[in-house]
Amino acid sequence: MYKEINNIKTYFHNFESIESNKKSVLFIAGAGMDHKFVRALNLQDDEFNPPLVIDLPGHGQTQDSSKNKIEEYSDFLIEALMDFKISNLTICGYSMGGLIALDLMLRKNFSAKSLVLLNTIAPMMVSSSLIELANKGNSFAADFIIKYGLSKNLIGIKNTFPSNTNQVMFDDLTACRNYQPNEDLFSQIGIPVNIILGGKDRLIDPDQAEVFARNLSSKIYKIDNAGHFPFFEDPVDLSNIIKSIA
């Protein structure tokens, strides 16, 4: 379904299927990605609504241009969710989406019962070489992320990234690199926070992940046979973990 948010035609994935008596998980996509990244997930139909996603500005089926600040994306989602009264809601942010989800919770502008950070740590180390590749084009950045993030050969994985010539990846990766959450506010989040990581993810330093988890008083769930793309590399294990903590 589509709604106008601040004069932007915005795509809301699966929102027309929400049943108030079921649990809901709002997924927030990673850099350059859109609602298609959840297509392999399988939550229990009798307990959960289908995975919810709102395409961010300049991503997927939402119009406008991408942003280069995490706070601008979280502001957009706050506006987009204003008219929805979703009970029993878990926020699950993937990579860049995890930073957006964290920002939502830190700013106290959105209510949820739990937070899941998928392949996300903060601050997020984004190398200068990756930023330079993204400035050359979306495809160059996608190749880098796939090379170091993917644990197995998956046909079509590059289709999850934008193929056009805009600067979506450059904006998103710049937003990730520059986002510095106020760690003094971590203790005030007030809801359970869980972190899910791929055991073969070379884009995230495991030592930094441990520090991040301790600062958040979070538990880390590890998917051993996945890298940075667990929703495609091991969607069954990922779905089961999300169901157990949402």
Side-chain angles (χ1 to χ4, degrees):
M1 61 177 281
Y2 292 89
K3 282 173 60 72
E4 291 280 334
I5 307 298
N6 295 332
N7 297 317
I8 300 170
K9 185 179 180 182
T10 303
Y11 179 64
F12 291 74
H13 185 62
N14 286 329
F15 274 68
E16 71 281 358
S17 302
I18 294 174
E19 296 181 37
S20 60
N21 61 321
K22 294 182 179 181
K23 297 179 181 179
S24 294
V25 182
L26 174 67
F27 292 87
I28 306 177
M33 295 184 177
D34 60 26
H35 63 278
K36 295 188 292 294
F37 86 105
V38 299
R39 62 178 179 254
L41 295 180
N42 183 21
L43 307 179
Q44 289 173 279
D45 292 342
D46 60 342
E47 185 178 0
F48 288 87
N49 284 304
L52 306 177
V53 186
I54 300 173
D55 281 353
L56 298 168
H59 296 68
Q61 297 180 37
T62 293
Q63 296 178 348
D64 205 33
S65 57
S66 52
K67 313 301 178 185
N68 60 13
K69 292 183 179 179
I70 293 297
E71 295 86 349
E72 292 188 58
Y73 283 136
S74 56
D75 284 342
F76 174 80
L77 288 180
I78 290 167
E79 285 290 327
L81 290 161
M82 196 77 71
D83 294 335
F84 293 93
K85 307 299 180 185
I86 307 174
S87 58
N88 213 355
L89 176 67
T90 291
I91 306 288
C92 180
Y94 162 66
S95 196
M96 179 188 77
L99 299 182
I100 299 169
L102 181 62
D103 192 62
L104 283 172
M105 297 299 104
L106 290 176
R107 294 165 71 187
K108 303 286 186 181
N109 286 332
F110 194 73
S111 177
K113 72 163 193 170
S114 65
L115 173 63
V116 179
L117 302 176
L118 175 60
N119 295 85
T120 300
I121 61 171
M124 187 175 287
M125 301 295 106
V126 180
S127 68
S128 297
S129 57
L130 179 52
I131 294 291
E132 291 170 4
L133 287 170
N135 196 30
K136 289 174 61 178
N138 293 323
S139 179
F140 295 100
D143 287 340
F144 181 101
I145 294 170
I146 291 169
K147 178 180 178 180
Y148 291 101
L150 192 64
S151 68
K152 62 185 73 174
N153 290 325
L154 291 176
I155 296 174
I157 187 68
K158 197 169 180 179
N159 293 333
T160 62
F161 293 96
S163 58
N164 49 26
T165 57
N166 59 24
Q167 293 238 300
V168 171
M169 293 296 290
F170 179 76
D171 283 343
D172 286 357
L173 292 168
T174 299
C176 291
R177 187 183 196 186
N178 292 339
Y179 182 65
Q180 299 289 329
N182 185 349
E183 295 184 3
D184 292 338
L185 298 179
F186 282 3
S187 62
Q188 300 177 27
I189 289 178
I191 58 174
V193 181
N194 292 286
I195 298 171
I196 305 174
L197 300 175
K200 298 179 179 179
D201 186 354
R202 291 183 289 168
L203 295 174
I204 290 183
D205 184 298
D207 293 332
Q208 291 179 344
E210 291 287 346
V211 172
F212 179 56
R214 284 198 300 271
N215 290 341
L216 277 170
S217 300
S218 302
K219 179 177 179 179
I220 294 179
Y221 293 82
K222 190 168 289 186
I223 302 177
D224 292 332
N225 294 318
H228 200 68
F229 302 90
F231 41 85
F232 293 136
E233 295 164 307
D234 197 344
V236 173
D237 199 3
L238 176 59
S239 296
N240 288 336
I241 292 173
I242 291 173
K243 286 186 289 189
S244 72
I245 59 181

